[in-house]
Amino acid sequence: MIHPPFIGHDPSSLYWSAAPVGSAPQYTSIQSLWDSGSKIESSVKVAACVLRRAQRHPFPIRPLRYCFAQFRQTYIVNRILTVQNRWSWSYKESSMAPPILSLALPSETGRVLSIQSHTVQGYVGNKSAVFPLQLLGYDVDPINSVQFSNHTGYPTFKGQVLNGQQLWDLIEGLEANDLLFYTHLLTGYIGSVSFLETVLQVVNKLRSVNPKLTYVMGDEGELYIPQELVSVYRERVVPVASMLTPNQFEAELLTGLRITSERDGLEACNILHAAGPSKVVITSVNIGECLLLIGSHKKSEGQPLEQFKIVIPKIPAYFTGTGDLITALLLGWSNKYPGNLDIASELAVSSLQALLQRTVNDYKSAGFDSQSSNLEIRLIQSQDDIRNPQVNYKAEKYT
C-alpha cells in the first residue's frame, strides 16, 4: 500500500509514510528528517524518500521540482515523489538504484516521448526530431515505430516494424520502473490502425500520470494508406491532440475541405479547432509562387482566434524528413513561447529554411544536381541554426 504525501506550504508541513505493506501509515516530516544527523546524511535520507515515484495511485500530487545541496541547510522542495512498498530510512541499508536525473532534476523545457520511425542512415522520423529537441534543451525518449536501413525513397530498404503489443510492452516497462512521467508526447507517421489504437492508449496512460501532457500530432506523410486510418485520426486522435501540424494534403484529408486559398486554410484551422486541438499549424500550403505556413491559436473559449501566416519562398528541391523536423521545432519553440504561436513559428521556419538552403548548397558543392532526387537534410551541420536561428521569416497576423 502506498501512502501519499500531504503537501503544505512549508517544509515542516510535508510528511511521508514508508510503512510496510499492511501496516498503518506512520508519517515523518521532511523537516524533522532533515534536522536529524549531519547535513550530508540528512540530504541523502530526504533524497531517498523523494526520488521514488508512485504514479499509479489515485491521489493528485502537485507537479513540483525537488532540489537540495549537500552542504546547505536551505533547500527547495518542488517535486513531491512517493515511497513505494517497503523502504528503509537508512540509505546505507537500502539497495536504491541511482535516480533518473531527467525525472529528479527535470529540464526547464520538458521531457518528451517521441513515437516515430527510425532509419539507420539519413534523417527522417525520430532521427529528424530527437536531435533538434535535445539542442533546444529537452530530454527526449524515442520509441521507434519502425527501424529501416534507410527511408523508403531509396530503391530498396529493409528492417522491422513495431506492432501495437510491442509498443505497449515498452510502455509497461517504463511504468513498472516509475519512468512514465512526460510533459510532451510527439507522434509521426503511423502505418496501421492497430498501432494507432495503442497510441491512443498511450495518450490516456500518460495523461493519467500527467493530466497536463501536451500531445503533438505531426506530419503523417502517407496518411492515405490505408483509408481506414483517416477515420481513426478524424474521430479519435485529433480530439485528444493539443497541437496539430499537418501539411496541406493532410489538412484536406482531416477536414474534408479542399484548400486552394488562404481563406480555405483558415477555415481548415477552424474545423480542426472545433474537433479539439488549441493549436493548429498547416506547415505548407502551396499557393502561387510561394508556400504559406498558416497558424491558428485558440487560447480560450469565447476569445477570437489568433491566426497568422508566414510566406516561405520555394526552394527548388525535394527533401526527406522536413515534416518531422518542422513539427519538432514547433513543439520546442511553442513550449518556450506558450502564448505566442506566431513567434514560435517564425523561429521554426527560420531554422528550417537555413538548414534546407545549407543542404542544397552542400549538394551543389559535391557536384550533385539538387533537383534530381530526394535530398538528405544536413541536420548536424545546421545545429547552430537550430539553437539560435536568425529570424528571417516574419508572421503576418490576420485581423
Side-chain angles (χ1 to χ4, degrees):
M1 179 177 182
I2 300 167
H3 304 292
F6 289 91
I7 300 175
H9 299 288
D10 60 84
S12 63
S13 65
L14 300 179
Y15 292 84
W16 307 89
S17 169
V21 174
S23 301
Q26 298 180 11
Y27 295 104
T28 303
S29 75
I30 284 185
Q31 185 70 64
S32 63
L33 186 63
W34 176 268
D35 290 339
S36 65
S38 69
K39 296 310 175 196
I40 296 178
E41 182 181 25
S42 298
S43 67
V44 174
K45 286 182 180 180
V46 173
C49 300
V50 173
L51 300 180
R52 298 292 294 171
R53 178 180 297 277
Q55 297 167 325
R56 285 168 285 180
H57 64 71
F59 296 90
I61 295 180
R62 187 180 304 169
L64 305 167
R65 180 192 298 175
Y66 172 77
C67 303
F68 68 91
Q70 287 185 337
F71 297 102
R72 297 180 185 175
Q73 295 186 10
T74 60
Y75 57 90
I76 304 171
V77 175
N78 273 346
R79 181 175 293 281
I80 306 303
L81 311 178
T82 54
V83 181
Q84 294 184 71
N85 300 329
R86 299 178 183 274
W87 190 258
S88 170
W89 290 113
S90 171
Y91 68 93
K92 294 180 180 179
E93 299 174 4
S94 72
S95 57
M96 182 182 70
I100 305 300
L101 291 181
S102 62
L103 286 173
L105 304 173
S107 68
E108 294 181 358
T109 47
R111 189 164 182 255
V112 182
L113 179 64
S114 180
I115 305 175
Q116 300 196 67
S117 59
H118 171 86
T119 58
V120 175
Q121 194 280 329
Y123 295 96
V124 299
N126 271 331
K127 284 283 290 288
S128 188
V130 172
F131 181 62
L133 284 169
Q134 290 171 331
L135 287 177
L136 293 177
Y138 294 80
D139 287 309
V140 187
D141 291 346
I143 292 179
N144 299 326
S145 56
V146 304
Q147 179 167 270
F148 290 160
S149 56
N150 43 266
H151 67 71
T152 56
Y154 283 90
T156 62
F157 65 92
K158 292 189 176 183
Q160 302 80 38
V161 177
L162 197 72
N163 62 39
Q165 183 56 54
Q166 291 168 328
L167 170 61
W168 194 246
D169 288 344
L170 295 173
I171 297 300
E172 287 186 326
L174 291 169
E175 183 181 29
N177 290 289
D178 301 323
L179 302 174
L180 210 55
F181 184 89
Y182 292 95
T183 58
H184 296 78
L185 171 66
L186 173 62
T187 63
Y189 170 66
I190 295 171
S192 72
V193 173
S194 63
F195 195 88
L196 189 55
E197 293 280 357
T198 306
V199 168
L200 286 168
Q201 295 179 46
V202 173
V203 174
N204 292 334
K205 175 65 72 175
L206 295 182
R207 282 187 172 152
S208 72
V209 177
N210 177 18
K212 294 184 178 181
L213 174 87
T214 297
Y215 172 30
V216 179
M217 188 184 108
D219 189 327
E220 294 304 316
E222 300 177 52
L223 195 58
Y224 57 89
I225 302 176
Q227 179 58 37
E228 58 265 28
L229 210 58
V230 179
S231 298
V232 178
Y233 271 107
R234 282 179 179 171
E235 299 167 10
R236 301 184 58 197
V237 180
V238 170
V240 300
S242 309
M243 181 166 73
L244 299 180
T245 63
N247 60 31
Q248 179 178 352
F249 176 67
E250 294 159 359
E252 290 176 339
L253 282 178
L254 291 173
T255 61
L257 178 68
R258 177 82 172 154
I259 300 175
T260 59
S261 66
E262 291 183 47
R263 183 179 295 274
D264 292 337
L266 293 172
E267 180 59 26
C269 290
N270 295 341
I271 294 172
L272 293 170
H273 279 310
S278 61
K279 295 179 181 178
V280 177
V281 180
I282 305 178
T283 56
S284 57
V285 178
N286 194 349
I287 298 176
E289 297 293 322
C290 295
L291 297 173
L292 293 181
L293 178 147
I294 296 179
S296 185
H297 190 184
K298 182 180 181 180
K299 291 188 174 180
S300 63
E301 291 292 340
Q303 286 190 353
L305 298 174
E306 294 187 4
Q307 298 183 312
F308 60 90
K309 68 177 179 180
I310 299 178
V311 179
I312 307 171
K314 293 180 181 178
I315 296 176
Y318 182 78
F319 307 89
T320 57
T322 54
D324 305 314
L325 175 56
I326 191 68
T327 297
L329 293 172
L330 286 167
L331 185 163
W333 288 115
S334 65
N335 190 50
K336 291 173 181 284
Y337 295 91
N340 300 99
L341 186 58
D342 54 339
I343 294 176
S345 298
E346 290 173 349
L347 291 160
V349 168
S350 296
S351 285
L352 178 63
Q353 290 299 106
L355 177 148
L356 296 183
Q357 193 58 60
R358 174 176 285 101
T359 300
V360 169
N361 293 342
D362 286 355
Y363 272 101
K364 287 181 178 178
S365 297
F368 186 81
D369 182 2
S370 61
Q371 300 184 47
S372 64
S373 182
N374 295 352
L375 306 184
E376 300 278 12
I377 58 175
R378 300 286 277 172
L379 188 66
I380 305 303
Q381 295 75 13
S382 303
Q383 54 187 286
D384 289 340
D385 295 314
I386 294 170
R387 280 198 196 96
N388 301 295
Q390 181 177 345
V391 178
N392 295 320
Y393 301 90
K394 300 294 290 184
E396 302 173 41
K397 291 187 177 181
Y398 293 102
T399 55

